[in-house]
């Protein structure tokens, strides 16, 4: 499933670019993320607990940042597996200035979901993914 | 065509026959009181429960499996993985085609998974809750691979290879031709082309599959209880898979909660439970969840077809070319590759043109295998021809009824040889169409339609005239024998048990066969019971599918009774000290003296055997295996009136009229039931149902939450009636009706909606006709 | 945990896991295999039973929730050896084929007629919306509901 | 088909229930029509279930001055068959009859439904349209929020850990009030692809929309021009990021919302 969106962050491009690649910030902002541990260059092992309404599930996976092109773009790969299924996403993230102290972040992503969540949650995947991304950026803006 | 040597027929009925009457079913009392026994109702002493871990990926390599935690979980008895069962024979494919590629189908995945739902490991525990818990404790390291779920994408260069050994994803190509289609097209005055699809469907029997396997260590015998349509074939094939001698393997099909073809198969789990029971020396039960049912039991249809029809300007059809792309799924189940070949046989529909050229490309995809689902190949073909004929009529500005009537063979042309090598047994194809037109008052409707259109209303009428291949079938034309068996036992007290090799599961043969036996033996119906579904009780049989229960199982029973009557009469003559007796109304009568003895007296004498008729043996039983000389070909016409809401895409079915000709009718009540149920499944395909895989080969319509089978509120009132053209193929004159409703329905509905939308320039719509699709078509967008 | 409830008129007490679904309790513990399981998303209705006189899907609740309450399954709809008018009507009208959905379907029709003794065709169809049947196309079930209504009115 | 293990408690009083819910990992079980299937699929695995089925005093529909008070454990069938609601707030009756199926309505509760905050559930549209308020209790006390503030996001309500919906309060319809709930069913699940609730009272029109977006919302722009159904329809989904799934695209959902709002307003004119 394709996802695109644009958010405005209250920081200049350099700051925004750095922050978006900062594991400490990412840990706080990825919804449900419990830990990110460095396992290679720009690659982290992730533990995540998803909780949405009654749905809950533990996921283990990876976050990988590739194709760095500071301060204007990079690609984020996220994958997680759990008993209720797996999620695999890739997002091309591009930044452009919007005024002096703000940056417009655009993502173009592809999310693949498998297992039980894919089989029974098709009507929810779209809405939920969008909400997760929104939560991510909302939190991110606050912390920046 | 084979000829059968039949025993002499004694026609000895004086009372009003039960055959032909609306008799309520004899199987119902146990079903309506909840006392019937389905597989999940079985409880054997010491029975264990199995749960299966399945692939969440459409394609992946299995790098490692860790069963340690699951094995140690309290209550877990055993955990088996692919390595444990690698020597069990593959899940069998019974179809053979030239050059067919057959992947080795292990009962548990080895180092790779090929579809979401692919079984990987089985947990056996003392309780089904524990077994399920332990499944979650198995750790698997997968390496996800690219997967492909769409057959046309699978054929494109560079597509992921479902089976690495065959990178083109092509399991087979198949060609069949009759006449000279190229010439017909070269000379055609008009040619119409259309891509027509028949989407993937999920059979959705209300009872999912289930297996209980038991093994007796002492005598090394195995019993498998399975919700199956084919107990004997299952016995043979699972026996071969497990190396279990067939005479030490009993298969029981208890009450079966619907099949529709999905239980006309041999599944990995049937052999797996046998394997587990034998390994542990304990009975074990596995009941499929609905989720598993959707991801591992066969799907149906899955066609992308390219149609071209050639005709003269006067509407005479001269030729047809069709390319069928069949989505096979990841493996061949029992009949997978054979299903589209049935489509090819049925391509000409009811029309008499003699030039056909067909090609099938069978494509592997990372999905559940497709196989026989209600109609199996024939609905696809009927949908195609009935759509393209409507499009031809539109192109020629001809009336769709008229073009059909023009192209039917005349009644005197029967038996009619088709361009695809079939011989249609009997028919008057105009008869049901004219009757259906009369019921809807066709001309009046067309006038009203003109008026309605002037007011901007979108009203349509759709016709389908279908024929189908039924009564499967002559043995040379079927993979595993097309005959059927019957045995008739008369007890010493005169009570009769009829055993049939067909394995009905809702069709009602427990009633119709009792009607037939009671009539033929001249005894009360309450003196007859019908046994089925247990290989320990009944002679080898083929099973129930392909509208064959009554049309092939019925004649087998009929002939077994005729044979038995000869014996009854001999004992009657012995008891009456007569040279010859007549058998009338359950009694042997000496025509000279008028003295008589009852069936019970004859049977008693045959078992006591104090004295035997010359050359006769004791006992009162007869067994008959009947080989049909040909298929039977029912036909009919369905007409659907619809009104479409242009703004919302909603289809309102105003009337549903069907006139089916299934030959003679044993029980009209049950025939109506078959038609209604068939129409519901056809309507499901036409309007709602669709197995949807995403680009990653995930089944996203993976539960009843997203796969819409018709509910009561979605069904129109079906006005069902009949014409009767007996089949000459069997002594009962029956043709088969199990699949008729399904086959007739979908093209009639789609034709009706296309007709409704035709003022807006709509020429074709693929199924399912969702509201959004209609809205887009009606508003010129796509 | 211990639960005590009335099943088909008889009180019984059993020790159950809290997670035991009512349908499994009825089928496995109480030995009443009339109600069936056809899905896990509470859409098919094959497991329908009466709980304090109201039709519920017994696969969508825990046995513990039925503690102290009154459950009637298809087996308890009529005294042994007799048929309830709805059962009789399903038989007469050929309202079933494979029979798997039937115990739940009969309960849904009973609920409908309890609340609306003379339903229209449309009301019948809505009344059995929560019960899926793959065999009959529902038409004979509609007939059965009408005929049961007539029989019960007498 | 089989849920994971959990601890179970069936308190008899609200106080007891709130005490139990204050603990970690506790989840309230009302009718269970959403929760139990999710537990069977193991999408949900609460450690502790607090069954509200035995809590007294949560199941009632009563008139209280200008309001009708509905206990959170009232079933959809209770609402569907309420003579009081039929007379004083018929929108809720009309909505209740379109929820799920008979068995779901017998078991499912209005409190459980709104707490679940399913973006395709029926109640949110109706409650938004009739201007409901939600009373929420916890060990710390009770509070009341307007229904618009209750639905926060997809499956996310304003309920905080340890809190429970205890009552829904709706105003009694003014004389001459008119209302309608129009729903397009997703054919398999019966959820709303789009559901539109319209409530006209004292010259003001309130419109609730469900199924369309990540959460149910009030179509305020449409309300402002409700006298002109075409205009109202044109803006009902304006600026809304609509859902899309295998049953209907975002574009079609928006279109259906517009068509059905127009029809509903026209029929109530």
């Amino acid at each position: 499933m394709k996802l695109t969106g644009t958010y405005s962050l209250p920081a200049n491009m350099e700051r925004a670019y750095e922050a978006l690649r900062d594991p400490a910030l990412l840990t706080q902002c990825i919804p449900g993320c419990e830990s990110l541990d460095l396992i290679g260059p720009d690659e982290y092992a992730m533990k995540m607990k998803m909780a949405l309404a009654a749905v809950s599930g533990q996921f283990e996976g990876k976050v990988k940042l590739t194709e760095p092109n500071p301060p204007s773009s990079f690609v984020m790969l996220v994958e997680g597996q759990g008993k209720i299924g797996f999620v695999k996403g890739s997002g091309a993230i591009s930044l452009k200035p919007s005024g002096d102290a703000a940056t417009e972040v655009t993502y173009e992503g592809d999310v693949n979901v498998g297992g039980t969540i894919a089989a029974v949650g098709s009507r929810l995947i779209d809405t939920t993914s969008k909400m997760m991304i929104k939560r991510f950026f909302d939190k991110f803006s606050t912390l920046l | 065509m084979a000829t059968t040597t039949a025993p002499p027929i004694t026609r000895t009925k004086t009372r009003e026959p039960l055959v032909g009457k609306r008799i309520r079913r004899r199987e119902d009392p146990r079903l309506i009181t909840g006392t019937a026994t389905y597989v999940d109702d079985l409880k054997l002493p010491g029975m264990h429960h199995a749960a299966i871990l399945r692939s969440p990926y459409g394609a992946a390599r299995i790098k490692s499996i860790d069963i340690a935690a699951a094995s140690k979980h309290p209550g877990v008895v055993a955990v088996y993985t692919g390595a444990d069962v690698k020597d069990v024979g593959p899940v069998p494919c019974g179809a053979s085609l030239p050059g067919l590629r057959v992947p080795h189908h292990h009962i548990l995945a080895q180092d790779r998974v090929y579809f979401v739902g692919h079984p990987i490991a089985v947990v056996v525990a003392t309780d089904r809750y524990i077994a399920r818990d332990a499944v979650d404790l198995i750790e698997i390291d997968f390496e996800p691979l690219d997967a492909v779920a769409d057959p046309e994408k699978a054929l494109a260069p560079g597509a992921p290879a479902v089976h690495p050994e065959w990178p083109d994803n092509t399991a087979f190509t198949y060609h069949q031709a009759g006449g000279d289609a190229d010439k017909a097209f070269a000379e055609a005055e008009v040619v119409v082309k259309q891509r027509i699809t028949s989407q993937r469907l999920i059979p959705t029997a209300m009872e999912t599959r289930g297996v209980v396997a038991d093994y007796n260590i002492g005598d090394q015998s195995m019993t498998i209880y399975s919700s199956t349509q084919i107990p004997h074939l299952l016995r043979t094939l699972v026996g071969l898979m497990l190396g279990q001698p067939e005479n030490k393997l009993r298969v029981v099909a208890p009450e079966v909660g619907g099949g529709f073809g999905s239980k006309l198969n041999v599944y990995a789990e049937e052999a797996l439970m046998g394997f587990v029971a034998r390994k542990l020396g304990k009975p074990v039960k596995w009941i499929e969840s609905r989720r598993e049912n959707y991801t591992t039991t066969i799907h149906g249809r899955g066609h992308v077809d390219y149609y071209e029809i050639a005709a003269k300007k006067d509407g005479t059809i001269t030729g047809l070319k069709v390319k069928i792309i069949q989505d096979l799924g990841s493996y061949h189940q029992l009949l997978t590759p054979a299903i589209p070949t049935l489509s090819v046989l049925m391509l000409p529909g009811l029309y008499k043109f003699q030039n056909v050229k067909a090609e099938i490309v069978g494509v592997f995809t990372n999905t559940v295998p497709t196989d026989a689902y209600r109609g199996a190949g024939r609905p696809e073909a009927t949908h195609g021809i009935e759509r393209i004929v409507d499009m031809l009529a539109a192109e020629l500005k001809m009336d769709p009824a008229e073009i059909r009537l023009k192209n039917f063979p005349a009644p005197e042309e029967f038996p009619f040889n088709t361009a695809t090598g079939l011989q249609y047994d009997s028919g008057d194809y105009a008869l049901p169409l004219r009757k259906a037109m009369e019921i809807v008052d066709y001309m009046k409707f067309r006038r009203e339609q003109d008026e309605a259109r002037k007011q901007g209303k979108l009203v349509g009428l759709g016709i389908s005239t279908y024929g189908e291949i039924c009564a499967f079938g002559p043995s040379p034309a079927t993979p595993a024998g097309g005959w059927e068996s019957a045995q008739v036992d008369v007890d010493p007290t005169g009570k009769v048990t009829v055993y049939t090799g067909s394995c009905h599961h809702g069709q009602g043969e427990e009633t119709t066969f009792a009607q037939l036996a009671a009539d033929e033996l001249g005894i009360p119906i309450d003196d007859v019971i019908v046994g089925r579904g247990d290989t320990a009780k009944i002679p080898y049989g083929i099973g129930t599918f392909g509208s064959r229960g009554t049309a092939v199982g019925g004649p087998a029973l009929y002939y077994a009774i005729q044979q038995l009557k000869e014996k009854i009469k001999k004992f009657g003559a012995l008891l009456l000290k007569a040279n010859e007796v007549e058998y009338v109304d359950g009694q042997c009568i000496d025509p000279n003296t008028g003295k008589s003895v009852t069936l019970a007296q004859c049977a008693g004498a045959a078992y006591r055997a104090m004295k035997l008729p010359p050359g006769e043996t004791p006992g009162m039983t007869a067994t008959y295996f009947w080989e049909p000389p040909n298929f039977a070909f029912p036909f009919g016409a369905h007409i659907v009136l619809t009104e479409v809401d242009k703004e919302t895409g909603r289809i309102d079915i105003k009337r549903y009229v069907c006139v089916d000709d299934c030959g003679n009718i044993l029980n009209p009540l049950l025939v109506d039931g078959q038609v209604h149920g068939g129409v519901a499944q056809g309507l499901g395909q036409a309007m709602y149902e669709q197995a949807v895989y995403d680009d990653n080969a995930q089944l996203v319509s993976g539960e009843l939450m997203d796969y819409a089978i018709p509910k009561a509120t979605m069904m129109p009132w079906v006005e069902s009636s009949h014409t009767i053209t007996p089949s000459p193929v069997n002594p009962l004159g029956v043709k088969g009706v199990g699949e008729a409703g399904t086959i007739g329905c979908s093209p009639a509905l789609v034709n009706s909606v296309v007709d409704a939308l035709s003022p807006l320039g709509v020429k074709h719509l693929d199924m399912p006709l969702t509201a959004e699709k209609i809205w887009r078509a009606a508003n010129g967008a796509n | 945990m211990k639960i005590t409830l009335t099943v088909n008129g008889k009180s019984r007490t059993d020790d159950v896991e809290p997670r035991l679904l009512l349908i499994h309790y009825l089928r496995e513990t109480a030995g009443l295999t009339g109600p069936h399981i056809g899905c896990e998303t509470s859409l098919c209705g094959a497991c329908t039973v009466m709980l304090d006189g109201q039709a519920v899907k017994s696969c969508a609740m825990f046995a513990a929730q039925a503690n102290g309450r009154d459950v009637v399954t298809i087996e308890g709809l009529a005294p042994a050896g007799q048929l309830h008018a709805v059962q009789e009507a399903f038989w007469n009208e050929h309202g079933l084929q494979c029979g798997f959905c039937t115990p739940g379907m009969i309960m849904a029709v009973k609920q409908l007629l309890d609340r609306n003794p003379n339903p229209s065709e449309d009301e019948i169809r809505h009344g059995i919306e929560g019960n899926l049947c793959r065999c009959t196309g529902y038409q004979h079930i509609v007939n059965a509901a009408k005929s049961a209504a007539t029989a019960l009115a007498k | 088909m089989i849920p994971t293990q959990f601890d179970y408690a069936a308190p008899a009083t609200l106080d007891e229930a709130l005490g139990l819910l204050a603990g970690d990992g506790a989840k309230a079980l009302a009718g269970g029509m959403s929760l139990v299937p999710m537990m069977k699929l193991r999408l949900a695995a609460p450690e502790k279930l607090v069954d509200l089925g035995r809590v007294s005093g949560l199941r009632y529909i009563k008139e209280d001055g200008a309001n009708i008070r509905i206990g959170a454990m009232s079933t959809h069938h209770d609402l569907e068959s309420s003579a009081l609601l039929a007379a004083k707030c018929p929108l809720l009756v009309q909505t209740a009859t379109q929820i799920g199926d008979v068995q779901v309505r017998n078991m499912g509760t209005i409190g459980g439904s709104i707490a679940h905050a399913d973006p395709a559930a029926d109640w949110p549209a109706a409650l938004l349209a009739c201007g409901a308020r939600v009373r929420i209790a916890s060990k710390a006390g009770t509070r009341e929020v307007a229904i618009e503030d209750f639905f926060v996001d997809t499956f996310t309500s304003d309920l905080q850990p340890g809190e429970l919906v205890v009552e829904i309060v709706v105003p009694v319809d003014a004389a001459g009030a008119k209302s309608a709930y129009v729903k397009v069913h997703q054919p398999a699940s019966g959820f709303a692809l789009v559901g539109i609730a319209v409530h006209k009272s004292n010259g003001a029109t309130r419109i609730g929309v469900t199924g369309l977006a990540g959460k149910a919302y009030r179509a305020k722009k449409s309300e402002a021009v409700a006298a002109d159904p075409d205009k109202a329809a044109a803006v009902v989904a304006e600026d809304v990021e609509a859902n899309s799934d295998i049953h209907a695209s975002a574009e079609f959902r928006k279109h259906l919302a517009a068509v059905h709002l127009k029809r509903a307003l026209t029929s109530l004119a």
Side-chain angles (χ1 to χ4, degrees), chain B residues 77-326:
Chain B
V77 175
V79 180
Y80 300 106
T81 67
D84 299 303
V85 299
K86 67 176 189 311
D87 295 331
V88 173
V91 177
C93 170
S96 57
L97 292 172
L100 178 68
R101 290 164 168 176
V102 183
H104 192 94
H105 187 173
H106 288 280
I107 62 171
L108 289 176
Q110 298 294 303
D111 52 357
R112 202 178 152 116
V113 288
Y114 293 87
F115 63 100
V116 169
H118 199 153
I120 297 170
V122 59
V123 176
V124 188
T126 51
D127 171 292
R128 71 169 86 191
Y129 280 50
I130 294 171
R132 174 64 188 86
D133 287 345
V135 164
D136 278 354
L137 298 174
I138 298 174
E139 294 294 334
I140 301 191
D141 190 5
F142 290 106
E143 180 192 339
L145 302 168
D146 286 341
V148 61
D150 177 292
E152 290 195 292
K153 284 185 186 159
L155 288 175
V162 175
H163 296 279
E165 58 271 43
W166 302 308
D168 62 2
N169 289 324
T170 303
F172 68 91
T173 53
Y174 173 91
H175 298 269
Q176 186 177 332
D180 189 342
D182 289 331
K183 183 161 174 278
F185 275 80
E187 293 170 358
E189 291 169 359
V190 56
V191 170
V192 175
K193 300 180 185 185
Q194 181 62 45
R195 176 183 187 270
I196 299 172
T197 62
S198 197
Q199 77 274 29
R200 227 179 216 269
L201 303 173
I202 308 182
T204 320
M206 290 321 299
E207 182 205 27
T208 58
R209 289 186 297 125
V211 186
V212 172
D214 193 9
Y215 189 76
N216 185 311
I217 307 176
D219 61 17
Q220 303 184 331
S221 66
M222 184 184 287
T223 304
I224 292 178
Y225 303 85
S226 181
S227 183
T228 183
Q229 300 172 232
I230 48 164
H232 275 99
L233 297 177
L234 189 65
R235 185 185 75 183
T236 302
L237 293 166
V238 168
L240 290 170
M241 290 168 79
L242 292 172
Q244 176 72 16
E246 197 171 354
N247 58 359
K248 289 189 174 183
L249 176 55
R250 173 185 173 203
V251 173
V252 181
E255 208 77 61
V256 174
F260 317 113
S262 70
K263 295 170 182 171
L264 158 57
N265 228 304
V266 177
Y267 285 100
E269 293 85 357
E270 288 165 324
L272 183 61
M273 290 308 118
F275 170 87
V276 169
R278 190 166 65 186
K279 208 72 177 163
L280 300 173
K282 287 275 189 186
V284 60
K285 179 192 276 187
W286 167 76
I287 300 297
E288 190 182 53
S289 68
R290 179 58 66 191
R291 175 93 195 288
E292 286 179 295
N293 181 256
Y294 274 20
T295 53
T296 65
T297 292
I298 61 109
H299 289 180
R301 317 278 193 269
H303 269 226
V304 179
D305 299 340
Y306 290 85
Y307 271 80
E308 293 178 53
I309 194 166
K312 293 187 194 165
K313 277 190 180 138
D314 68 357
T316 307
I317 303 167
T318 53
L320 186 73
K321 289 186 188 177
V322 180
K323 179 177 180 177
I324 294 172
I325 295 172
Q326 170 74 51

Side-chain angles (χ1 to χ4, degrees), chain B residues 128-129 132-133 136 645 647-648 688 692 700-701 703-708 711 714 771-772 775-776, chain D residues 1-3 5 41-42 186-191 246-249 251-252 255-256 259-260 262-263:
Chain B
R128 71 169 86 191
Y129 280 50
R132 174 64 188 86
D133 287 345
D136 278 354
D645 181 334
E647 278 190 318
T648 63
Y688 302 108
V692 182
V700 291
S701 57
E703 281 278 5
L704 282 165
M705 298 284 294
D706 286 297
Y707 187 84
K711 298 174 183 175
M714 301 174 180
E772 178 160 3
W775 169 66
R776 288 184 184 280
Chain D
M1 181 66 210
I2 293 163
Q5 288 178 319
L41 293 162
R42 300 199 165 198
Q186 194 259 60
S189 68
F191 273 99
I246 58 172
H247 303 287
S249 68
E251 187 189 1
F252 187 53
H255 168 77
L256 285 177
V259 171
H260 287 294
K262 186 177 87 183
R263 290 184 182 182

Side-chain angles (χ1 to χ4, degrees), chain B residues 627-679:
Chain B
E627 169 65 28
N630 187 5
F631 300 105
F633 296 89
F635 56 93
H638 290 211
I639 295 185
V640 185
L641 309 187
T642 56
E643 180 165 354
V644 175
D645 181 334
K646 188 182 170 187
E647 278 190 318
T648 63
R650 196 187 130 82
I651 298 164
D652 190 6
I653 300 174
K654 296 290 190 190
R655 279 185 87 178
Y656 195 106
V657 170
C658 55
V659 181
D660 298 287
D661 193 322
C662 58
N664 289 337
I665 289 174
L666 301 191
N667 186 332
L669 189 61
L670 307 201
V671 166
D672 282 350
Q674 288 296 313
V675 171
H676 299 161
V679 167

